[in-house]
PDB file of all heavy atoms in Angstrom:
ATOM      1  N   LEU A 100     -12.228   1.176 -11.771  1.00 91.00           N
ATOM      2  CA  LEU A 100     -13.081   1.683 -12.841  1.00 91.00           C
ATOM      3  C   LEU A 100     -14.435   2.133 -12.288  1.00 91.00           C
ATOM      4  O   LEU A 100     -14.970   3.163 -12.692  1.00 91.00           O
ATOM      5  CB  LEU A 100     -13.270   0.617 -13.916  1.00 91.00           C
ATOM      6  CG  LEU A 100     -14.062   1.032 -15.137  1.00 91.00           C
ATOM      7  CD1 LEU A 100     -13.340   2.149 -15.873  1.00 91.00           C
ATOM      8  CD2 LEU A 100     -14.277  -0.143 -16.056  1.00 91.00           C
ATOM      9  N   THR A 101     -14.981   1.380 -11.349  1.00 92.00           N
ATOM     10  CA  THR A 101     -16.228   1.775 -10.694  1.00 92.00           C
ATOM     11  C   THR A 101     -16.045   3.085  -9.931  1.00 92.00           C
ATOM     12  O   THR A 101     -16.898   3.975  -9.991  1.00 92.00           O
ATOM     13  CB  THR A 101     -16.701   0.666  -9.734  1.00 92.00           C
ATOM     14  OG1 THR A 101     -16.858  -0.541 -10.465  1.00 92.00           O
ATOM     15  CG2 THR A 101     -17.994   1.035  -9.050  1.00 92.00           C
ATOM     16  N   GLY A 102     -14.924   3.219  -9.221  1.00 92.00           N
ATOM     17  CA  GLY A 102     -14.635   4.459  -8.515  1.00 92.00           C
ATOM     18  C   GLY A 102     -14.503   5.640  -9.460  1.00 92.00           C
ATOM     19  O   GLY A 102     -14.974   6.745  -9.175  1.00 92.00           O
ATOM     20  N   SER A 103     -13.879   5.409 -10.623  1.00 93.00           N
ATOM     21  CA  SER A 103     -13.759   6.478 -11.614  1.00 93.00           C
ATOM     22  C   SER A 103     -15.126   6.881 -12.150  1.00 93.00           C
ATOM     23  O   SER A 103     -15.396   8.071 -12.355  1.00 93.00           O
ATOM     24  CB  SER A 103     -12.866   6.030 -12.768  1.00 93.00           C
ATOM     25  OG  SER A 103     -11.570   5.783 -12.320  1.00 93.00           O
ATOM     26  N   GLY A 104     -15.993   5.901 -12.372  1.00 95.00           N
ATOM     27  CA  GLY A 104     -17.349   6.199 -12.834  1.00 95.00           C
ATOM     28  C   GLY A 104     -18.137   6.987 -11.807  1.00 95.00           C
ATOM     29  O   GLY A 104     -18.850   7.936 -12.149  1.00 95.00           O
ATOM     30  N   LEU A 105     -18.009   6.621 -10.540  1.00 95.00           N
ATOM     31  CA  LEU A 105     -18.694   7.358  -9.476  1.00 95.00           C
ATOM     32  C   LEU A 105     -18.150   8.776  -9.337  1.00 95.00           C
ATOM     33  O   LEU A 105     -18.909   9.732  -9.137  1.00 95.00           O
ATOM     34  CB  LEU A 105     -18.561   6.615  -8.152  1.00 95.00           C
ATOM     35  CG  LEU A 105     -19.425   5.371  -7.988  1.00 95.00           C
ATOM     36  CD1 LEU A 105     -19.028   4.624  -6.729  1.00 95.00           C
ATOM     37  CD2 LEU A 105     -20.885   5.755  -7.941  1.00 95.00           C
ATOM     38  N   LEU A 106     -16.834   8.919  -9.450  1.00 95.00           N
ATOM     39  CA  LEU A 106     -16.233  10.241  -9.372  1.00 95.00           C
ATOM     40  C   LEU A 106     -16.712  11.126 -10.520  1.00 95.00           C
ATOM     41  O   LEU A 106     -17.082  12.287 -10.312  1.00 95.00           O
ATOM     42  CB  LEU A 106     -14.717  10.125  -9.383  1.00 95.00           C
ATOM     43  CG  LEU A 106     -13.903  11.390  -9.179  1.00 95.00           C
ATOM     44  CD1 LEU A 106     -14.192  12.004  -7.817  1.00 95.00           C
ATOM     45  CD2 LEU A 106     -12.431  11.094  -9.305  1.00 95.00           C
ATOM     46  N   LEU A 107     -16.764  10.572 -11.704  1.00 96.00           N
ATOM     47  CA  LEU A 107     -17.250  11.327 -12.858  1.00 96.00           C
ATOM     48  C   LEU A 107     -18.733  11.671 -12.709  1.00 96.00           C
ATOM     49  O   LEU A 107     -19.158  12.782 -13.024  1.00 96.00           O
ATOM     50  CB  LEU A 107     -17.016  10.533 -14.140  1.00 96.00           C
ATOM     51  CG  LEU A 107     -17.398  11.214 -15.437  1.00 96.00           C
ATOM     52  CD1 LEU A 107     -16.553  12.470 -15.640  1.00 96.00           C
ATOM     53  CD2 LEU A 107     -17.211  10.269 -16.598  1.00 96.00           C
ATOM     54  N   THR A 108     -19.521  10.727 -12.190  1.00 96.00           N
ATOM     55  CA  THR A 108     -20.941  10.988 -11.952  1.00 96.00           C
ATOM     56  C   THR A 108     -21.137  12.117 -10.944  1.00 96.00           C
ATOM     57  O   THR A 108     -21.979  12.997 -11.132  1.00 96.00           O
ATOM     58  CB  THR A 108     -21.643   9.708 -11.457  1.00 96.00           C
ATOM     59  OG1 THR A 108     -21.463   8.678 -12.422  1.00 96.00           O
ATOM     60  CG2 THR A 108     -23.116   9.942 -11.215  1.00 96.00           C
ATOM     61  N   GLY A 109     -20.358  12.106  -9.871  1.00 96.00           N
ATOM     62  CA  GLY A 109     -20.438  13.180  -8.881  1.00 96.00           C
ATOM     63  C   GLY A 109     -20.081  14.532  -9.461  1.00 96.00           C
ATOM     64  O   GLY A 109     -20.732  15.538  -9.178  1.00 96.00           O
ATOM     65  N   LEU A 110     -19.049  14.566 -10.310  1.00 95.00           N
ATOM     66  CA  LEU A 110     -18.668  15.832 -10.938  1.00 95.00           C
ATOM     67  C   LEU A 110     -19.747  16.332 -11.895  1.00 95.00           C
ATOM     68  O   LEU A 110     -20.023  17.534 -11.969  1.00 95.00           O
ATOM     69  CB  LEU A 110     -17.337  15.664 -11.670  1.00 95.00           C
ATOM     70  CG  LEU A 110     -16.124  15.465 -10.770  1.00 95.00           C
ATOM     71  CD1 LEU A 110     -14.882  15.184 -11.611  1.00 95.00           C
ATOM     72  CD2 LEU A 110     -15.902  16.646  -9.875  1.00 95.00           C
ATOM     73  N   ILE A 111     -20.382  15.416 -12.619  1.00 96.00           N
ATOM     74  CA  ILE A 111     -21.465  15.805 -13.522  1.00 96.00           C
ATOM     75  C   ILE A 111     -22.656  16.338 -12.736  1.00 96.00           C
ATOM     76  O   ILE A 111     -23.265  17.346 -13.116  1.00 96.00           O
ATOM     77  CB  ILE A 111     -21.859  14.631 -14.441  1.00 96.00           C
ATOM     78  CG1 ILE A 111     -20.741  14.373 -15.445  1.00 96.00           C
ATOM     79  CG2 ILE A 111     -23.177  14.899 -15.156  1.00 96.00           C
ATOM     80  CD1 ILE A 111     -20.916  13.116 -16.263  1.00 96.00           C
ATOM     81  N   VAL A 112     -22.996  15.692 -11.625  1.00 95.00           N
ATOM     82  CA  VAL A 112     -24.105  16.169 -10.786  1.00 95.00           C
ATOM     83  C   VAL A 112     -23.783  17.558 -10.223  1.00 95.00           C
ATOM     84  O   VAL A 112     -24.653  18.442 -10.186  1.00 95.00           O
ATOM     85  CB  VAL A 112     -24.402  15.161  -9.651  1.00 95.00           C
ATOM     86  CG1 VAL A 112     -25.341  15.745  -8.611  1.00 95.00           C
ATOM     87  CG2 VAL A 112     -24.984  13.891 -10.225  1.00 95.00           C
ATOM     88  N   MET A 113     -22.535  17.790  -9.830  1.00 94.00           N
ATOM     89  CA  MET A 113     -22.167  19.116  -9.333  1.00 94.00           C
ATOM     90  C   MET A 113     -22.244  20.160 -10.449  1.00 94.00           C
ATOM     91  O   MET A 113     -22.641  21.302 -10.202  1.00 94.00           O
ATOM     92  CB  MET A 113     -20.763  19.085  -8.724  1.00 94.00           C
ATOM     93  CG  MET A 113     -20.720  18.359  -7.404  1.00 94.00           C
ATOM     94  SD  MET A 113     -19.196  18.499  -6.449  1.00 94.00           S
ATOM     95  CE  MET A 113     -17.941  18.057  -7.563  1.00 94.00           C
ATOM     96  N   MET A 114     -21.894  19.782 -11.668  1.00 94.00           N
ATOM     97  CA  MET A 114     -22.015  20.722 -12.792  1.00 94.00           C
ATOM     98  C   MET A 114     -23.477  21.038 -13.093  1.00 94.00           C
ATOM     99  O   MET A 114     -23.820  22.185 -13.373  1.00 94.00           O
ATOM    100  CB  MET A 114     -21.345  20.141 -14.034  1.00 94.00           C
ATOM    101  CG  MET A 114     -19.844  20.194 -13.994  1.00 94.00           C
ATOM    102  SD  MET A 114     -19.036  19.357 -15.356  1.00 94.00           S
ATOM    103  CE  MET A 114     -19.987  19.839 -16.755  1.00 94.00           C
ATOM    104  N   VAL A 115     -24.335  20.018 -13.032  1.00 93.00           N
ATOM    105  CA  VAL A 115     -25.761  20.230 -13.286  1.00 93.00           C
ATOM    106  C   VAL A 115     -26.363  21.144 -12.221  1.00 93.00           C
ATOM    107  O   VAL A 115     -27.234  21.963 -12.515  1.00 93.00           O
ATOM    108  CB  VAL A 115     -26.499  18.876 -13.357  1.00 93.00           C
ATOM    109  CG1 VAL A 115     -27.999  19.044 -13.301  1.00 93.00           C
ATOM    110  CG2 VAL A 115     -26.092  18.123 -14.604  1.00 93.00           C
ATOM    111  N   SER A 116     -25.887  21.040 -10.994  1.00 92.00           N
ATOM    112  CA  SER A 116     -26.434  21.865  -9.916  1.00 92.00           C
ATOM    113  C   SER A 116     -26.064  23.336 -10.077  1.00 92.00           C
ATOM    114  O   SER A 116     -26.673  24.192  -9.454  1.00 92.00           O
ATOM    115  CB  SER A 116     -25.942  21.365  -8.565  1.00 92.00           C
ATOM    116  OG  SER A 116     -24.577  21.676  -8.385  1.00 92.00           O
TER     117      SER A 116
END
Side-chain angles (χ1 to χ4, degrees):
L100 184 63
T101 303
S103 297
L105 285 171
L106 186 62
L107 183 63
T108 302
L110 291 175
I111 290 171
V112 169
M113 288 190 308
M114 285 174 43
V115 167
S116 72

